[in-house]
Amino acid sequence: LQSQHQITMTETQPNPRSRLYVLILLTALSALTFMDRQILAVLLQPIKQEFGFSDLQIGLITGLGFALTFGALGIPLGRLADKHERRSLIAWCRGIGGCIAAAGAMASGAGGLTASRAGAALGDAGGGAASMSILADLYAPTERSRAMSVFGVGGAIGASLALLLGPLLAQWWGWRVTCVN
């Protein structure tokens, strides 16, 4: 029975180039979302100096702003991905979330910076589960772990880019420009 299931899965799979394209695209989107999530970590010092925030305020902005939004949206957006078109959900959540995160560059205080963290959380909450669901449909069980691993590497790439390039961009152009990039 299992071998019949594997044959059926293989026969219905799109061609390998299409699957690879989707995997690379979803991984790149994940990397961008993780950049949005991590970039604030390297910008904390100039933000603290500009606004005079305490460590507690920075912790609330960076941690709680993301965690509360992700916690509130993760399950409902996952459910939405189960019932509706996942590509559109990914595009809207990653796009709007990225724009809100970039809008943190215009922040005039803690509220704006917290909203930018909420944007990063929206992109992650709406895009992560739907992306994994698409990959699960595209890859047979014997290939699925490898595809999910590649997708998971997107987060590490994005975080690394934020932590490596963020300080350079901040030094050259300031924290606000870096927040947009």
Side-chain angles (χ1 to χ4, degrees):
L1 182 65
Q2 186 176 1
S3 62
Q4 287 177 340
H5 182 264
Q6 287 175 345
I7 290 169
T8 304
M9 287 292 292
T10 305
E11 290 172 359
T12 62
Q13 296 301 312
N15 72 52
R17 289 182 70 187
S18 295
R19 292 186 315 157
L20 181 62
Y21 171 76
V22 171
L23 177 60
I24 290 170
L25 180 63
L26 292 176
T27 302
L29 288 172
S30 178
L32 291 173
T33 300
F34 270 81
M35 283 180 66
D36 287 342
R37 182 193 288 191
Q38 294 296 322
I39 197 68
L40 204 59
V42 299
L43 303 175
L44 293 179
Q45 198 57 40
I47 290 171
K48 280 176 69 172
Q49 288 174 347
E50 180 173 329
F51 294 112
F53 291 147
S54 69
D55 289 340
L56 174 63
Q57 288 172 303
I58 285 290
L60 291 173
I61 291 167
T62 58
L64 208 52
F66 184 91
L68 287 178
T69 305
F70 188 87
L73 295 178
I75 293 172
L77 289 174
R79 184 177 175 150
L80 191 64
D82 286 340
K83 296 180 181 257
H84 297 285
E85 213 277 309
R86 297 168 294 185
R87 290 178 299 177
S88 295
L89 180 65
I90 294 167
W92 282 105
C93 287
R94 298 275 197 214
I96 292 171
C99 288
I100 293 170
M106 298 182 294
S108 60
L113 289 169
T114 302
S116 77
R117 297 301 81 216
L122 169 65
D124 206 14
S131 295
M132 288 187 275
S133 178
I134 288 174
L135 293 174
D137 286 349
L138 289 176
Y139 287 87
T142 57
E143 303 170 305
R144 201 168 289 150
S145 294
R146 183 177 42 232
M148 296 292 181
S149 295
V150 170
F151 176 72
V153 166
I157 290 170
S160 297
L161 288 173
L163 296 173
L164 293 172
L165 297 178
L168 292 173
L169 295 173
Q171 183 177 347
W172 294 334
W173 294 301
W175 74 265
R176 292 181 184 273
V177 172
T178 303
C179 204
V180 174
N181 290 316

